Amino acid sequence: MKRYRFSDVPNNKKLSHFMTYYKLETYLAVFAVVVVGYLLYLALWAPKTDVSVLWISNTYSLEADGIVTERFGTLDWDCNGDGKVAVMLQHAEFGDSFETTDVDSQIALMTILSAGDTDILLVSEAALEWGITMDIWGSCGDFGGLKDKADHEVFAVACSSLPFFRDSGIDAYEVMYLVIAQPREEPEAQERYQRNMQNLTALLEWEN
């Protein structure tokens, strides 16, 4: 099909002519603009996450999402200096036991944990036991020591024992545990890890 010069095309046919011959180029240009715009948004205007929470269990709801975000938003964890505490909550599905959780879900969970971007892990008892078996939870020694606990023991604190989680309105907290991931070797990751461990001490103030 002959391609005419755009200036030679009648005015009432310019749009159809353009879409006939330049459709692919148009789609690619729009896609490039969207990608660049999104990257600029992330770099310049998107709120930076101060607290990243990963909820691992089969009990989750939008109500829990709102309450968890609100609760952690009250912490003094403004790490980027913008005067706000931005909380990101992720949910990873985990069955009632190791055996009832499919392999794909376990692989997806391992992928999330290996990224090293999670500050707080709230896990069910089944997920806790899975993590102990897989040797992926951090120890009391990684945290910096815990009263009445040996350094080699897995750091796992029942949420029901912490005043921060009480009266939250989420019944699932009664059977959830606060755990930590293992530290990574990269210098930047170690700095973030130490910051997170210091921040976590605010949650570990038991009554009496």
Side-chain angles (χ1 to χ4, degrees), residues 48-56 60 63-79 82-90 118-123 155 157-160 162-168 170 172-173 176-180 195-204:
K48 304 298 188 296
T49 300
D50 295 299
V51 185
S52 177
V53 183
L54 179 59
W55 177 297
I56 309 174
Y60 184 75
E63 179 187 15
D65 188 304
I67 294 175
V68 169
T69 301
E70 186 274 331
R71 278 277 166 133
F72 283 99
T74 63
L75 298 174
D76 186 20
W77 284 17
D78 178 19
C79 301
D82 62 358
K84 303 176 183 179
V85 180
V87 181
M88 181 178 70
L89 175 63
Q90 297 182 78
T118 302
D119 299 316
I120 296 177
L121 295 155
L122 302 175
V123 306
F155 180 94
V157 181
C159 292
S160 59
L162 301 175
F164 179 82
F165 293 104
R166 291 184 188 152
D167 303 320
S168 65
I170 304 179
Y173 272 148
M176 299 287 282
Y177 292 84
L178 173 67
V179 301
I180 60 175
R195 184 204 76 194
N196 293 340
M197 295 305 101
Q198 292 174 3
N199 289 338
L200 275 177
T201 58
L203 304 182
L204 301 181

Side-chain angles (χ1 to χ4, degrees), residues 88-102:
M88 181 178 70
L89 175 63
Q90 297 182 78
H91 172 233
E93 184 72 23
F94 201 91
D96 295 326
S97 66
F98 195 129
E99 293 76 14
T100 59
T101 302
D102 61 83

Side-chain angles (χ1 to χ4, degrees), residues 4-17:
Y4 296 92
R5 288 187 304 174
F6 196 69
S7 59
D8 295 334
V9 178
N11 289 334
N12 62 343
K13 294 184 178 181
K14 283 186 175 181
L15 179 59
S16 60
H17 175 82

Side-chain angles (χ1 to χ4, degrees), residues 182-200:
Q182 294 179 356
R184 300 171 65 188
E185 296 181 357
E186 299 88 342
E188 290 185 2
Q190 289 182 0
E191 182 179 348
R192 175 189 175 97
Y193 192 85
Q194 292 303 317
R195 184 204 76 194
N196 293 340
M197 295 305 101
Q198 292 174 3
N199 289 338
L200 275 177

